[in-house]
């Protein structure tokens, strides 16, 4: 067993009718405890790469290995819902008519958990994403970073995962990053 949590080998994605690949032969290895940031100009393939890792796109070539398990490429395909990953988009799927606490509790209520368990998980998520004291606000009353953390809380309470966090537009195993922290430190470490 190795401490490599993500390995991309020759990952390539072509779209029909477009001459230049969206992702062209990407090779990288992410070790447990490392942080990965994708930087580049608009249209260079950052989001496509994250969509490939999350399973929303299939690679044309190459392979993705997550926690020593091939999840895409070379005849292997694991659907997104089986990858133990989530993706936090730049536009967050928050219900505008629900408070922060109600948005975070939404998935738990759909799973028909006991009210005491829901209350405890919401309180834990609020603390984890550093939104204590803001639970009665609505999404429009929050900053962009607070909305991102609120969405991270909804992901965490719906599916607590142990996979890597990628930052910005993130494929996330838990909440994105709280104020003053680096994306992925807690989720990866």
């Amino acid at each position: 067993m190795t401490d490599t949590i993500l390995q991309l080998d020759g990952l390539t994605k072509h779209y029909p009718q477009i001459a230049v690949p969206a992702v062209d032969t990407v090779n990288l290895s992410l070790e447990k405890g490392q942080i990965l940031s994708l930087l580049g100009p608009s249209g260079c393939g950052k989001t496509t790469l994250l969509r490939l890792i999350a399973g929303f796109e299939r690679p044309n070539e190459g392979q993705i290995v997550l926690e020593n398990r091939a999840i895409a490429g070379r005849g292997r395909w694991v659907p997104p819902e089986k990858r133990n990953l989530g993706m936090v988009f730049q536009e967050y799927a928050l219900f505008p008519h629900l408070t922060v606490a109600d948005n975070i509790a939404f998935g738990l209520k759909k799973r028909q958990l006991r009210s005491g368990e829901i209350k405890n998980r919401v309180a834990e998520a609020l603390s984890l994403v550093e939104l204590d004291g803001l639970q009665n606000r609505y999404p429009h009353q929050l900053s962009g970073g607070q909305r991102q953390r609120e969405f991270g809380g909804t992901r965490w309470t719906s599916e607590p995962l142990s996979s890597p966090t990628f930052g910005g537009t993130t494929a996330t195993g838990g909440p994105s990053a709280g104020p003053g922290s680096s994306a992925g430190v807690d989720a990866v470490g």
Side-chain angles (χ1 to χ4, degrees):
M1 275 277 166
T2 167
D3 284 339
T4 302
I5 56 173
L6 178 67
Q7 182 77 40
L8 306 180
D9 296 315
L11 199 62
T12 301
K13 176 64 181 177
H14 298 276
Y15 289 107
Q17 313 300 321
I18 300 174
V20 178
V23 172
D24 192 9
T25 321
V26 172
N27 295 293
L28 73 83
S29 179
L30 184 66
E31 304 297 318
K32 186 174 184 177
Q34 289 183 318
I35 298 170
L36 173 66
S37 293
L38 301 173
L39 303 173
S42 180
C44 75
K46 300 179 301 290
T47 299
T48 301
L49 183 61
L50 293 174
R51 290 178 59 81
L52 286 162
I53 294 166
F56 301 136
E57 302 277 351
R58 289 180 185 243
N60 298 103
E61 299 170 34
Q63 183 176 31
I64 303 170
V65 178
L66 182 66
E67 296 176 328
N68 299 310
R69 178 176 154 227
I71 59 172
R74 299 182 187 148
R76 179 86 171 126
W77 176 254
V78 175
E81 65 272 14
K82 304 271 188 191
R83 292 186 182 204
N84 249 1
L85 288 173
M87 184 147 170
V88 178
F89 294 92
Q90 290 173 344
E91 294 296 322
Y92 311 107
L94 299 170
F95 295 109
H97 64 288
L98 297 180
T99 64
V100 170
D102 289 335
N103 266 303
I104 291 173
F106 185 81
L108 300 173
K109 291 177 181 177
K110 286 293 183 187
R111 290 171 39 203
Q112 299 179 344
L113 297 178
R114 294 185 329 268
S115 64
E117 184 176 353
I118 291 171
K119 183 178 178 181
N120 290 340
R121 299 267 312 264
V122 168
E124 187 176 2
L126 286 166
S127 176
L128 184 69
V129 298
E130 300 180 9
L131 290 177
D132 300 285
L134 302 179
Q135 63 269 17
N136 295 321
R137 290 195 184 173
Y138 291 88
H140 73 276
Q141 296 173 312
L142 302 175
S143 71
Q146 290 169 330
R147 282 193 304 271
Q148 182 179 18
R149 294 196 323 270
E150 177 183 0
F151 185 76
T154 68
R155 294 292 303 147
W156 186 83
T157 57
S158 296
E159 295 179 54
L161 306 175
S162 62
S163 295
T165 300
F166 293 91
T169 301
T170 54
T172 182
S176 212
S181 64
S182 298
V185 172
D186 292 333
V188 176

